Amino acid sequence: MKPIRGFSFFTTARDAIATVGERNRSRRGWLKTAAAALALGIFGAAHTAHAAPLDELKLDYAYYSPESLVIKRNGWLEQEFAADHTQVKWVLSLGSNRALEYLNSGAIDIGSTAGLAAVLGKANGNPIRAVYIYSRPEWTALVVRKDSPIKTVADLKGKKIAATKGTDPFLFTLRALHTAGLSRDDVEIVNLQHPDGRTALANGQVDAWAGLDPHMAAAQIDDGARLLYRNVDFNTWGFLNAREDFIRDHQDALARVLMVYEKARVWIAAHPDDTARIVAEESKVSLPVAKLQLSRNDFSQPQPGARQIAALKAAAPILVDEQLVKSGTDLNAIIDALVDAKVAQPVIATASNGTK
């Protein structure tokens, strides 16, 4: 993992505190006034002043999002919202497809997905915006058994590949096939959730698997599985998405959630061994597996913006080529509408100012 410069999470600039006309010397007071100031800066005073009270905060945790596991384990969101009597409801997402389903149905307000999967969801009407980057991972590759005769992507023609539709590994698979002049019609894709894909590969029910960490790391260490094809540029960013109605109605709460994510991001850099232990215990994998997973994540770039937009626009043609979106869909416009740089920017800037 790349080191991240630490900062005092609960320190904010005096002018931000003055903006909301309040100065509270307790730790919770500082955090709440900071979040209110951030909400004022992002959304405007009128909206913040009339924000609806939040009775329940619904968000996901995922084995592919170490921040979510750290936050959940330490109870940081429960602590943050305790004085407001807001109940925190955690929902396990086993893949981007599940997180997007939960977001679309309103089962969660905030969910973690891969970037290209979020584009696909947005293009199909999911009312979300990507407001934060929880990691820049290499979390997927094409995996084969250690004794497999398959040596190249071209060798996959006519073979069975396990992949979870609507997720980064599924889209990674399609892009990988294209590098060898193959398409989805040249293989048989077996739609299985990520852990089931690993089991199917180990049992010989499929020839290859579009892996996802930590399951992929476990397959390597525990099963001796081999990574057939890797391409970090085909791994899209880890997006924290929020429903548009939640962004509109609960700006203060969203700012506070992102501040807690910032706390977790910096804590992970400062406590790699503790993070690995939490990931191992929550994901029910061995410590070496958790460490391998974490070694493939870069937590240093939390701000969504132009870099993610450019990467997604470069990747988006696969959605058209494979007819995963309606004909005529303007994916560039979808991506521009999805990636929202405004929400996280003041949160990250406020946190960074605490280091100066």
Side-chain angles (χ1 to χ4, degrees):
M1 290 184 290
K2 296 183 180 179
I4 304 173
R5 186 181 177 190
F7 55 79
S8 176
F9 178 67
F10 292 104
T11 303
T12 64
R14 291 179 184 272
D15 57 349
I17 301 303
T19 302
V20 287
E22 181 179 357
R23 186 176 179 183
N24 187 323
R25 293 185 183 276
S26 70
R27 189 179 90 164
R28 186 157 303 283
W30 280 99
L31 183 55
K32 291 179 72 173
T33 50
L38 293 171
L40 284 167
I42 302 169
F43 305 103
H47 283 289
T48 303
H50 300 290
L54 184 62
D55 295 325
E56 185 178 49
L57 173 64
K58 300 172 293 183
L59 72 166
D60 78 341
Y61 67 104
Y63 303 144
Y64 51 84
S65 171
E67 286 99 325
S68 70
L69 302 181
V70 167
I71 292 167
K72 180 175 178 290
R73 169 64 69 90
N74 289 319
W76 286 337
L77 278 175
E78 288 81 358
Q79 295 167 24
E80 165 56 25
F81 286 93
D84 305 301
H85 305 291
T86 297
Q87 298 297 312
V88 178
K89 179 181 179 181
W90 290 99
V91 178
L92 175 63
S93 290
L94 292 175
S96 294
N97 62 327
R98 289 288 183 257
L100 288 166
E101 288 171 10
Y102 300 150
L103 284 162
N104 198 36
S105 68
I108 58 175
D109 308 306
I110 301 169
S112 44
T113 73
L116 194 55
V119 174
L120 180 59
K122 183 79 168 177
N124 289 322
N126 206 322
I128 57 172
R129 296 200 331 241
V131 296
Y132 186 83
I133 303 297
Y134 60 83
S135 77
R136 172 65 169 109
E138 185 190 4
W139 52 19
T140 188
L142 288 180
V143 188
V144 295
R145 293 183 298 279
K146 61 181 178 181
D147 58 352
S148 172
I150 297 172
K151 302 299 181 184
T152 68
V153 174
D155 294 337
L156 291 172
K157 186 173 183 178
K159 304 297 185 182
K160 291 183 179 180
I161 306 173
T164 310
K165 289 185 178 179
T167 67
D168 219 37
F170 174 74
L171 299 170
F172 177 95
T173 300
L174 300 182
R175 297 178 78 185
L177 291 173
H178 280 214
T179 67
L182 302 177
S183 73
R184 182 167 44 167
D185 294 334
D186 293 309
V187 299
E188 181 182 346
I189 294 182
V190 182
N191 184 28
L192 295 172
Q193 285 296 135
H194 302 300
D196 297 328
R198 177 196 170 189
T199 300
L201 178 69
N203 292 341
Q205 296 167 306
V206 295
D207 303 289
W209 165 51
L212 181 74
D213 275 338
H215 311 292
M216 183 169 72
Q220 288 179 263
I221 290 178
D222 298 341
D223 306 337
R226 175 167 51 90
L227 301 188
L228 173 71
Y229 179 79
R230 300 175 70 173
N231 189 331
V232 67
D233 290 333
F234 284 4
N235 287 252
T236 56
W237 302 73
F239 280 6
L240 194 66
N241 309 284
R243 286 178 53 87
E244 291 178 339
D245 56 355
F246 188 82
I247 296 172
R248 181 189 66 240
D249 296 336
H250 299 288
Q251 302 104 9
D252 171 84
L254 179 58
R256 290 161 69 185
V257 169
L258 295 189
M259 291 182 79
V260 172
Y261 260 82
E262 272 293 275
K263 178 183 179 181
R265 181 178 73 87
V266 174
W267 188 91
I268 285 171
H271 302 86
D273 291 339
D274 290 334
T275 301
R277 178 179 54 79
I278 289 172
V279 170
E281 292 174 357
E282 291 290 326
S283 304
K284 298 178 176 60
V285 297
S286 68
L287 194 59
V289 167
K291 289 183 176 180
L292 178 57
Q293 173 190 357
L294 290 168
S295 74
R296 296 198 276 236
N297 280 264
D298 175 5
F299 300 98
S300 68
Q301 302 172 63
Q303 174 65 55
R307 186 174 181 186
Q308 289 74 32
I309 290 172
L312 292 174
K313 288 182 177 179
I318 193 69
L319 303 180
V320 176
D321 294 343
E322 294 290 342
Q323 300 179 339
L324 298 174
V325 295
K326 294 179 181 178
S327 177
T329 300
D330 186 346
L331 286 175
N332 285 345
I334 293 291
I335 292 166
D336 288 336
L338 171 69
V339 180
D340 190 335
K342 299 189 300 297
V343 177
Q345 189 170 20
V347 176
I348 296 166
T350 299
S352 297
N353 285 340
T355 68
K356 297 179 181 177

